[in-house]
Amino acid sequence: MEDKFYKTNEDKFSWIVGLKVRIKTTSDEQFEGEVFNYDPVTACIIILSDESTPAVVTQKRTVRIILESSIKEIKCLSLPTNTNSNTTTTTPTVTSPATNKQNNHNNHHHQNNINNDLSLPSLNVQLIIKKQDEVIKKAAQKAMKIGVGVTPEAQEIFNSLSRTLPCDWSGENIIVLNEVKISSPYNIENCTGPENCKSIERVKKVLEAERKKLKI
């Protein structure tokens, strides 16, 4: 269906705000929750997922922001819990002023609860930044373990050695224990180190054993 059917982009999904839906993404992930908002600028749908289970009831909810282009299917599970049906009929009742006052108070309190339920949870920005820094640091460390311009065989040798000894790449050379250099083609005779290096024999033994395991 073309977007011109809608008056604006905001009209496209604004009508589902408040509905409980199940969203299936193009990667076949499924998420359930109440649609909190639709942002026409970023083309994202924001849903609130209840973390309660049959065994544990909690008020904790997860906020998920889903890009419209990643949505494969949307299925409506239920209408908003605070939506009154137009077809519902009620019997008029006469109440005293005191009762009316109490009802108004209860309605106001109920409305406040609804507003509180729809409010986004606060975010711990410092914790988010800390986790982000940790992820970036781990990614950088992982990238340093991948040789540039080396053969798959050389990378296999590096990976095997690094499980036993601390290793780093220096160009196409493998540096073990910060002092022993293993040059291509990475045989035991290609191990060199500073004068009176005590680690070189140990590195040679580990290298020989790992090459046998790899059968290379």
Side-chain angles (χ1 to χ4, degrees):
M1 186 176 292
E2 297 180 356
D3 287 349
K4 65 181 181 180
F5 177 81
Y6 306 95
K7 292 180 182 179
T8 65
N9 286 337
E10 190 170 1
D11 295 333
K12 190 172 183 179
F13 284 107
S14 60
W15 61 274
I16 70 171
V17 173
L19 299 180
K20 185 176 181 181
V21 298
R22 179 185 294 122
I23 294 178
K24 187 175 183 180
T25 67
T26 52
S27 57
D28 289 331
E29 292 180 294
Q30 292 195 46
F31 303 105
E32 289 186 14
E34 180 182 341
V35 180
F36 177 79
N37 195 14
Y38 170 70
D39 183 11
V41 178
T42 58
C44 290
I45 292 178
I46 304 169
I47 65 171
L48 303 178
S49 299
D50 192 353
E51 296 296 321
S52 296
T53 64
V56 180
V57 178
T58 177
Q59 293 184 348
K60 182 180 178 181
R61 291 193 288 181
T62 301
V63 179
R64 288 189 172 89
I65 301 175
I66 304 174
L67 197 63
E68 179 189 339
S69 59
S70 69
I71 296 175
K72 184 177 181 181
E73 179 183 270
I74 299 181
K75 182 177 180 181
C76 179
L77 301 179
S78 65
L79 297 174
T81 54
N82 61 329
T83 300
N84 295 323
S85 174
N86 292 331
T87 58
T88 302
T89 58
T90 58
T91 303
T93 57
V94 178
T95 58
S96 66
T99 303
N100 285 334
K101 184 177 180 181
Q102 182 63 38
N103 287 340
N104 290 336
H105 173 76
N106 291 340
N107 290 337
H108 179 71
H109 179 70
H110 177 66
Q111 187 63 42
N112 284 341
N113 287 340
I114 293 174
N115 292 336
N116 290 335
D117 289 342
L118 293 178
S119 61
L120 287 172
S122 59
L123 298 177
N124 188 331
V125 178
Q126 291 182 344
L127 181 60
I128 292 173
I129 293 174
K130 182 181 178 181
K131 288 185 177 181
Q132 175 183 282
D133 291 341
E134 289 175 355
V135 170
I136 293 173
K137 184 179 179 180
K138 288 181 180 179
Q141 291 174 343
K142 188 175 181 180
M144 291 176 64
K145 301 299 180 182
I146 300 174
V148 179
V150 301
T151 63
E153 179 183 289
Q155 187 63 53
E156 283 188 63
I157 293 172
F158 179 93
N159 294 342
S160 296
L161 283 173
S162 62
R163 283 192 282 267
T164 306
L165 301 169
C167 300
D168 294 291
W169 283 106
S170 177
E172 296 182 4
N173 300 321
I174 300 174
I175 307 299
V176 187
L177 296 169
N178 294 321
E179 59 178 355
V180 179
K181 181 174 73 174
I182 308 175
S183 306
S184 178
Y186 313 104
N187 293 308
I188 56 174
E189 58 267 22
N190 303 121
C191 296
T192 58
E195 190 176 354
N196 299 323
C197 178
K198 297 181 180 179
S199 303
I200 192 166
E201 291 303 321
R202 178 187 174 193
V203 172
K204 285 182 177 181
K205 288 181 181 180
V206 175
L207 175 60
E208 185 177 19
E210 295 300 333
R211 288 187 69 95
K212 286 181 180 179
K213 289 180 184 178
L214 296 172
K215 297 180 180 180
I216 54 177

